[in-house]
Amino acid sequence: MASRSYSNLLDLATGAADQTPAAAAIGALRRRLPRVVTNPGFIDDSPASPSTPARPRTIIVANQLPIRSRRPASPEEPWTFEWDEDSLLGHLHHSSSPLMEFIYIGCLRDDIPQAEQDAVAQALLETHNCVPAFLPTDIAERYYHGFCKQHLWPLFHYMLPLSPDLGGRFDRALWQAYVSANKIFADKVLEVINPDDDFVWVHDYHLMVLPTFLRKRFNRIKLGFFLHSPFPSSEIYKTLPVREELLRALLNSDLIGFHTFDYARHFLSCCGRMLGLSYESKRGHICLEYYGRTVSIKILPVGVHMEQLKTVLGLPETEAKVAELMEMYSGKGRVVMLGVDDMDIFKGISLKLLAMEELLRQHPEWRGKLVLVQVANPARGRGKDVAEVQAETYAMVQRINEVYGEPGYEPVVLIDEPLQFYERVAYYVIAEVCLVTAVRDGMNLIPYEYIVSRQGNEKLDRLLRQGKPEEKKSMLVVSEFIGCSPSLSGAIRVNPWNIEAVADAMETALVLPENEKRLRHDKHFRYVSTHDVGYWAISFLEDLKRTCSDHSQRRCWGIGFGLRFRVVSLDLHFRKLSLESILMAYRRAKTRAILLDYDGTLMPQAINKSPSTESVRILNSLCGDKNNVVYLCSGYDRRTLHEWFPCENLGIAAEHGYFLRCKRDAEWKTCVTATDCSWKQIAEPVMCLYRETTDGSTIEDRETVLVWNYEDADPDFGSCQAKELVDHLESVLANEPVSVKTTPHSVEVKPQGVSKGLVARRMLVSMKERGQCPDFVLCIGDDKSDEDMFQLIASAACGDSLGSKADVFACTVGRKPSKARYYLDDAAEVVRLMQGLSYVSEELALANHRDEDEDSSLDVWE
């Protein structure tokens, strides 16, 4: 089907364009919606029927549609389609809430001739609510078998491309194909989306840059992403040349889901180390702040479709297959261990076979009795590594059977042809132990399917000669490197690389007391039956709805080019400070109050902290204006600030406001009652301990403040040490009149009650006492310590400390959540603003001098 952009849908809906059948079907699909955004700024508000309210819709986007297609026998016959029962996403439409409608977007497994694509697209949309994405053959090859399978999939499973044989070197052409394919998927989403109401849920590593394309088109799109593979540690991930592009693309989602905490932790670590982002927990939800947007992280293992498994267990074919297998194995006194894996390098089939060989060598009593049935599904990828795994597997099976087999008995049965789902379930039913030894796997639902199958039903119980429900039992031996392992607390967890330990675990699973097997099975079944695929989908979508609930209350705009695009999201009342408006307010004001932070505000974050000559000149100019009262608030000590700023009329608040003076020749005063700093004797040894154990950290000893700085330390370790240090200091300083505060990259201990807000209050009170209620207030800062100033200024605007029509400008540096109403992008913009204000002061001073000179001339003439 020819791809049609979202902006053309108005023509399609009104019949203004020449419609293909598939386009007409999409138009009909969209006309079911109560409100359709067709072009930016244009909304079709055609009323929906009150008797049929629209159901909430979720657009599911994945690499493949959960559809099996059948090619027609003759060109005249149509293609036929049915749901793929092996597809996880295919279960959502009948396992989630009936109030939710799902639309699926993805590729078909079969290549559809271009002439038939429109008809296929129309049929899929009408019968299955599916929108197929047809990729050009060259892009499809390089996108899936190229970048996905040669780069992302091996790397996410911890295989580094150390040689051309191990995953292959990074190929820019494959990356470009990956981006192009994601763009095609984005176009398909734009064909059907109603951005005001629909949710979009993107799945897996094949579509990691899709969120950027969608967010760029609709800044407030409600977008979730779920990664079904592992996410590697930062040491592995950072070897990827396009690491930042992928991270930033994922962060254009509102909610990002992972199967385990380990995967989420690795992702958060990469965001911290490569993008400088920190995360926090808000009422149990892990959140990242990304340019004002809150990106939530959800840890949610997927489940199986319980109803499907119960249905398959009740099929006559299943019952017949179970009876056949019982006669084949149990009837001959055999005990079955089962492995079900794809034939790829990460599933650990060879390690499993080595463990079986070791078990038979160590325990001769199991020879002739124990059978390992290994179902080897076809690999999803291709290449030399798949062929090597196959060859190794066949050779090991042959060797084991030759050494430990006997007439009528083969210790290993390898099934290397695809099984019907009911056949696989039958093997689950008769297996005493299920064995999963993958060396790395995202989730792996085989153990869950095994547990449900072992629960069985009444007919199968009779075949297995189980009289009571409490006699149900199952045993699992699972690798600790698969995603389902943390959820199965009753399983025997193993390191698959330790062959002897795996063999011991297999033997333990066989000889464990029957009652213990039943207890473990019961525990597992309760978890699996309550955490199925429906629970997984509903939980994720509910969290997505919660995360997106404030979209309408935010002001959004995009910045950046290409895959570095991101959306800035701020409060509706939070806007950039206009140079023109503030200069006008400054020019007409009679009395002005200016409060400035230093580091990060007047001076960008740098190794050299001393002010530039231009900054000193600007401050001198502002302080020279008799209508101005200017204060500089900083965490630096008073001696350093005195040396840096030789400005006569500049007020300085040192050490966050503990020391204060109104001009250079005035005495230093304290904003709070002078305190004894004997607490330093307690705090400093503690900080020294953390400095010694945290490479790159330093201690700054000021008169009343102690600072432990970890800006140059490892970000993860430094942050962890900072949390420990705060707890340690709060414990030892519990009876001292000090507070322990955290700032980005530092921990500070300072006297209680000291804040920059107190400086702002003292400044305004002293001006009021002198009869100088300001009608212009400017306050600029860049970090959390400045928020007290912003809050005080905002409250003062409603009080009597300011003029009745005062212009108040509380401004933070950087677009981020703040109590300030305005922002400037960086310190350079702050300096340009201050330059503008100083020029106005100089201009007004010159004008006053001219007026005075003219008055003097008139007096002389008279």
Side-chain angles (χ1 to χ4, degrees):
M1 180 180 69
S3 172
R4 292 174 177 263
S5 71
Y6 179 86
S7 59
N8 292 331
L9 283 176
L10 180 61
D11 292 338
L12 295 178
T14 57
D18 193 17
Q19 296 186 30
T20 64
I26 290 176
L29 175 70
R30 292 185 53 79
R31 285 196 294 276
R32 298 209 304 260
L33 299 171
R35 297 174 74 246
V36 177
V37 179
T38 52
N39 278 312
F42 184 90
I43 299 179
D44 179 8
D45 281 310
S46 54
S49 171
S51 60
T52 56
R55 292 187 294 168
R57 294 200 318 173
T58 298
I59 299 172
I60 305 290
V61 193
N63 176 54
Q64 286 190 337
L65 288 172
I67 293 291
R68 290 190 183 277
S69 54
R70 287 199 178 91
R71 190 179 297 274
S74 65
E76 293 77 20
E77 296 179 16
W79 285 75
T80 56
F81 307 97
E82 62 182 10
W83 291 109
D84 182 0
E85 295 303 325
D86 289 335
S87 171
L88 174 72
L89 301 180
H91 301 318
L92 297 182
H93 66 285
H94 48 64
S95 62
S96 301
S97 170
L99 301 178
M100 176 68 74
E101 178 184 0
F102 291 100
I103 295 177
Y104 296 88
I105 295 177
C107 298
L108 289 167
R109 290 180 175 85
D110 294 287
D111 291 329
I112 310 295
Q114 188 170 1
E116 301 177 39
Q117 289 178 3
D118 275 343
V120 166
Q122 182 182 8
L124 279 171
L125 189 61
E126 292 174 350
T127 59
H128 291 81
N129 247 20
C130 291
V131 177
F134 299 112
L135 303 181
T137 304
D138 59 331
I139 289 180
E141 179 71 18
R142 288 181 288 138
Y143 149 71
Y144 183 74
H145 291 292
F147 193 77
C148 289
K149 288 300 180 181
Q150 289 182 29
H151 292 324
L152 288 183
W153 187 73
L155 188 79
F156 280 25
H157 289 75
Y158 286 72
M159 178 185 283
L160 288 175
L162 299 176
S163 71
D165 294 333
L166 296 174
R169 306 292 192 200
F170 181 80
D171 187 338
R172 185 68 58 176
L174 300 183
W175 163 246
Q176 291 170 351
Y178 180 82
V179 173
S180 298
N182 276 246
K183 180 64 170 63
I184 293 172
F185 279 92
D187 291 339
K188 290 300 174 184
V189 174
L190 299 183
E191 286 183 357
V192 298
I193 190 174
N194 174 12
D196 290 339
D197 301 316
D198 292 346
F199 295 90
V200 179
W201 191 2
V202 181
H203 289 267
D204 222 4
Y205 62 92
H206 313 90
L207 301 172
M208 290 177 72
V209 299
L210 178 58
T212 290
F213 290 120
L214 298 178
R215 182 71 61 189
K216 189 172 185 178
R217 188 62 181 82
F218 300 114
N219 292 168
R220 291 186 178 87
I221 191 171
K222 293 174 278 191
L223 177 59
F225 181 93
F226 200 96
L227 184 67
H228 293 270
S229 76
F231 195 93
S233 70
S234 60
E235 293 301 308
I236 299 292
Y237 180 79
K238 70 182 181 182
T239 63
L240 188 63
V242 290
R243 60 192 189 183
E244 283 197 22
E245 288 87 339
L246 290 180
L247 284 181
R248 292 189 185 279
L250 289 180
L251 290 171
N252 277 320
S253 307
D254 294 296
L255 178 64
I256 306 173
F258 299 92
H259 285 307
T260 73
F261 174 68
D262 275 350
Y263 304 160
R265 177 169 57 85
H266 294 157
F267 173 76
L268 293 169
S269 176
C270 289
C271 290
R273 290 174 179 272
M274 295 166 209
L275 304 180
L277 301 177
S278 59
Y279 67 92
E280 60 181 343
S281 180
K282 295 181 179 178
R283 297 190 175 184
H285 301 284
I286 302 174
C287 301
L288 284 160
E289 289 295 328
Y290 186 61
Y291 290 91
R293 291 177 48 249
T294 298
V295 181
S296 295
I297 306 298
K298 188 169 182 66
I299 299 158
L300 185 66
V302 72
V304 294
H305 185 208
M306 289 294 296
E307 293 306 316
Q308 180 205 19
L309 280 167
K310 290 178 181 178
T311 300
V312 173
L313 284 167
L315 293 175
E317 299 98 310
T318 307
E319 187 177 347
K321 186 65 177 180
V322 169
E324 175 190 336
L325 294 175
M326 288 287 291
E327 182 179 350
M328 185 184 304
Y329 295 109
S330 301
K332 298 178 181 179
R334 311 276 196 250
V335 177
V336 175
M337 268 189 176
L338 179 66
V340 180
D341 304 278
D342 291 346
M343 185 75 82
D344 70 51
I345 57 176
F346 297 112
K347 293 300 188 285
I349 295 177
S350 60
L351 299 176
K352 186 187 305 181
L353 295 174
L354 288 173
M356 177 66 177
E357 187 176 35
E358 181 69 14
L359 172 63
L360 294 175
R361 186 184 69 80
Q362 290 184 2
H363 300 277
E365 67 273 15
W366 285 107
R367 299 174 191 173
K369 294 169 55 179
L370 180 62
V371 177
L372 172 62
V373 177
Q374 176 61 54
V375 178
N377 300 318
R380 300 180 192 181
R382 63 192 186 194
K384 188 172 72 172
D385 56 346
V386 174
E388 289 175 350
V389 169
Q390 290 175 332
E392 183 183 24
T393 301
Y394 295 143
M396 293 179 68
V397 170
Q398 182 179 0
R399 185 183 73 232
I400 295 171
N401 287 338
E402 287 176 354
V403 174
Y404 297 104
E406 55 190 49
Y409 166 70
E410 286 187 341
V412 179
V413 176
L414 179 64
I415 303 173
D416 59 353
E417 57 187 22
L419 293 179
Q420 301 258 358
F421 187 51
Y422 79 88
E423 294 178 300
R424 193 167 84 215
V425 168
Y427 276 102
Y428 289 145
V429 171
I430 61 105
E432 286 293 315
V433 179
C434 183
L435 186 59
V436 182
T437 56
V439 296
R440 190 72 60 179
D441 209 351
M443 184 62 190
N444 200 314
L445 293 175
I446 297 300
Y448 286 14
E449 293 178 353
Y450 168 70
I451 290 162
V452 177
S453 300
R454 290 290 287 181
Q455 185 69 13
N457 55 36
E458 290 185 4
K459 290 183 178 180
L460 295 176
D461 288 346
R462 287 195 293 271
L463 279 174
L464 298 173
R465 298 177 182 85
Q466 292 177 341
K468 301 176 182 178
E470 57 268 20
E471 293 179 357
K472 305 294 176 66
K473 61 184 180 180
S474 62
M475 280 303 299
L476 287 166
V477 177
V478 300
S479 165
E480 61 191 42
F481 301 118
I482 63 175
C484 66
S485 176
S487 306
L488 300 171
S489 57
I492 302 175
R493 299 191 182 101
V494 295
N495 173 5
W497 301 101
N498 189 337
I499 304 302
E500 292 79 9
V502 176
D504 290 343
M506 293 165 67
E507 206 269 339
T508 300
L510 292 168
V511 302
L512 207 66
E514 296 295 300
N515 188 52
E516 179 69 16
K517 293 180 182 179
R518 285 192 280 268
L519 289 173
R520 295 187 184 212
H521 169 80
D522 185 56
K523 183 178 184 179
H524 289 159
F525 183 74
R526 284 200 308 270
Y527 174 82
V528 172
S529 60
T530 55
H531 293 73
D532 62 355
V533 67
Y535 169 87
W536 171 74
I538 291 170
S539 179
F540 187 91
L541 292 174
E542 284 179 350
D543 257 19
L544 180 58
K545 182 178 180 181
R546 173 191 58 79
T547 304
C548 300
S549 60
D550 68 340
H551 277 194
S552 61
Q553 303 165 23
R554 310 288 289 178
R555 208 156 46 90
C556 300
W557 67 94
I559 60 173
F561 297 99
L563 292 177
R564 291 182 176 270
F565 173 86
R566 61 266 190 206
V567 166
V568 176
S569 174
L570 300 173
D571 187 87
L572 290 173
H573 303 292
F574 189 62
R575 58 185 184 272
K576 188 166 185 176
L577 187 59
S578 167
L579 184 61
E580 182 180 351
S581 62
I582 193 173
L583 289 179
M584 290 176 59
Y586 184 85
R587 187 182 295 275
R588 65 174 175 261
K590 302 301 181 185
T591 306
R592 312 181 190 99
I594 301 174
L595 296 97
L596 302 171
D597 174 48
Y598 174 64
D599 198 13
T601 303
L602 274 180
M603 182 71 183
Q605 300 285 355
I607 295 176
N608 181 11
K609 304 291 187 180
S610 59
S612 65
T613 305
E614 178 64 11
S615 297
V616 175
R617 186 202 68 78
I618 291 171
L619 289 175
N620 264 321
S621 176
L622 292 173
C623 293
D625 190 329
K626 63 182 181 181
N627 295 328
N628 290 347
V629 176
V630 183
Y631 268 80
L632 187 71
C633 304
S634 174
Y636 286 106
D637 61 87
R638 52 182 173 172
R639 184 169 64 92
T640 300
L641 294 173
H642 178 83
E643 294 173 355
W644 281 354
F645 298 99
C647 308
E648 291 300 326
N649 296 320
L650 177 64
I652 292 181
E655 302 197 8
H656 296 298
Y658 185 86
F659 294 109
L660 186 68
R661 75 176 188 196
C662 59
K663 55 179 62 178
R664 186 170 180 82
D665 57 0
E667 291 186 1
W668 289 96
K669 298 180 180 179
T670 58
C671 280
V672 296
T673 306
T675 58
D676 179 14
C677 289
S678 58
W679 54 267
K680 285 189 176 182
Q681 299 175 8
I682 304 172
E684 190 167 13
V686 176
M687 284 191 174
C688 287
L689 173 63
Y690 284 80
R691 181 185 60 188
E692 292 169 5
T693 57
T694 311
D695 187 39
S697 65
T698 58
I699 296 175
E700 299 174 40
D701 186 357
R702 302 167 189 168
E703 286 186 70
T704 63
V705 179
L706 268 180
V707 182
W708 181 76
N709 189 304
Y710 61 96
E711 186 175 4
D712 297 326
D714 179 272
D716 286 342
F717 184 55
S719 177
C720 178
Q721 289 289 80
K723 292 174 184 176
E724 291 292 327
L725 176 58
V726 169
D727 290 341
H728 198 160
L729 289 172
E730 286 178 343
S731 174
V732 299
L733 298 173
N735 299 320
E736 300 295 329
V738 294
S739 59
V740 182
K741 301 288 185 182
T742 59
T743 64
H745 309 303
S746 69
V747 175
E748 295 183 351
V749 183
K750 60 183 181 181
Q752 288 178 346
V754 175
S755 73
K756 293 183 180 181
L758 192 58
V759 175
R761 179 182 291 111
R762 289 282 291 267
M763 176 186 180
L764 295 178
V765 168
S766 64
M767 292 181 70
K768 181 182 178 183
E769 290 174 350
R770 298 195 304 268
Q772 295 179 307
C773 286
D775 52 1
F776 175 94
V777 179
L778 173 62
C779 177
I780 309 180
D782 75 304
D783 61 29
K784 289 183 179 179
S785 65
D786 301 306
E787 295 295 316
D788 294 329
M789 285 197 298
F790 302 149
Q791 187 174 17
L792 190 281
I793 294 299
S795 61
C798 303
D800 57 357
S801 299
L802 306 181
S804 58
K805 296 183 179 180
D807 293 304
V808 178
F809 300 92
C811 177
T812 188
V813 179
R815 290 181 249 198
K816 57 182 180 287
S818 172
K819 294 173 184 174
R821 290 189 60 184
Y822 302 94
Y823 73 90
L824 290 171
D825 285 329
D826 50 33
E829 284 200 350
V830 176
V831 172
R832 284 197 293 270
L833 169 63
M834 305 314 295
Q835 283 174 335
L837 298 182
S838 69
Y839 292 152
V840 172
S841 286
E842 292 167 3
E843 181 185 325
L844 292 175
L846 285 174
N848 289 334
H849 283 309
R850 285 196 211 99
D851 292 341
E852 290 174 2
D853 290 343
E854 289 176 3
D855 291 342
S856 299
S857 298
L858 287 173
D859 289 343
V860 171
W861 179 257
E862 289 176 357

